[in-house]
Every structure is written in C-alpha cells, then in structure tokens.
Amino acid sequence: MHRQGSLGTTLRFGLLYLLALLLVFAVGHRNQMEKAHLAKMEEELTRLNAQEEALLKERWQATEPHRVLSWAKEKGFVPMSQGRWAE
C-alpha cells in the first residue's frame, strides 16, 4: 500500500474543495452586492419617474390659456384683439 500517494491525493482534493468553496463564496457575495445596487437603482428610478411626472404636471398647468394670459398681462403684453395700430 502506498500511504504517501493517498495522502497527496487527499491534500489535492482538499485544496480543490477549499478553492471551490472560496469560488462559491465570492460569487455569492458578488450577487448580493449586485442585488443591493439594483435595489438602489430601482428606488432612484422610481423617484426620478415621480419627479418627471410632477414636472410634466407643473408644465401642463403653467401652459393653460388663462395662466398664459395672466402672465402676459403682468409682463405688459397686450392681447391681439385689443392691439392698437401705431399712430
């Protein structure tokens, strides 16, 4: 019997097993980090979508005809229906 050969084989398989465990640990850790990053990005996307919706609503309200007319009167513009010809 070769005791020396079986010890070397055992050590090789032990080392391979430890390397495999290290690989599984590293891949699992990477996946957890990516999942956390993805969750942050999804929260940011949700926040940005809400902000975009609020800005679009604000724009829509600001361009309503009566608001444009009141803004124009504040700035001194005269509606065309009340315009005067140059004298």
Side-chain angles (χ1 to χ4, degrees), residues 65-81:
H66 71 283
R67 289 187 186 238
V68 173
L69 181 60
S70 64
W71 174 85
K73 285 181 180 177
E74 287 175 10
K75 299 294 181 183
F77 294 105
V78 178
M80 289 180 64
S81 60

Side-chain angles (χ1 to χ4, degrees), residues 3-32:
R3 286 257 181 221
Q4 188 64 16
S6 64
L7 182 61
T9 303
T10 304
L11 288 176
R12 269 188 251 133
F13 278 116
L15 181 60
L16 287 174
Y17 181 74
L18 288 176
L19 288 174
L21 283 177
L22 182 62
L23 179 66
V24 168
F25 173 77
V27 169
H29 180 68
R30 180 174 175 254
N31 285 342
Q32 286 180 346

Side-chain angles (χ1 to χ4, degrees), residues 3-65:
R3 286 257 181 221
Q4 188 64 16
S6 64
L7 182 61
T9 303
T10 304
L11 288 176
R12 269 188 251 133
F13 278 116
L15 181 60
L16 287 174
Y17 181 74
L18 288 176
L19 288 174
L21 283 177
L22 182 62
L23 179 66
V24 168
F25 173 77
V27 169
H29 180 68
R30 180 174 175 254
N31 285 342
Q32 286 180 346
M33 293 295 109
E34 285 183 357
K35 186 176 181 181
H37 185 66
L38 179 62
K40 286 180 186 177
M41 289 177 64
E42 286 175 347
E43 289 175 6
E44 181 75 11
L45 182 62
T46 302
R47 187 185 65 77
L48 289 173
N49 283 337
Q51 183 181 5
E52 179 186 19
E53 187 176 328
L55 288 172
L56 287 173
K57 185 177 180 182
E58 182 181 335
R59 176 180 169 227
W60 178 77
Q61 289 176 347
T63 58
E64 289 179 344

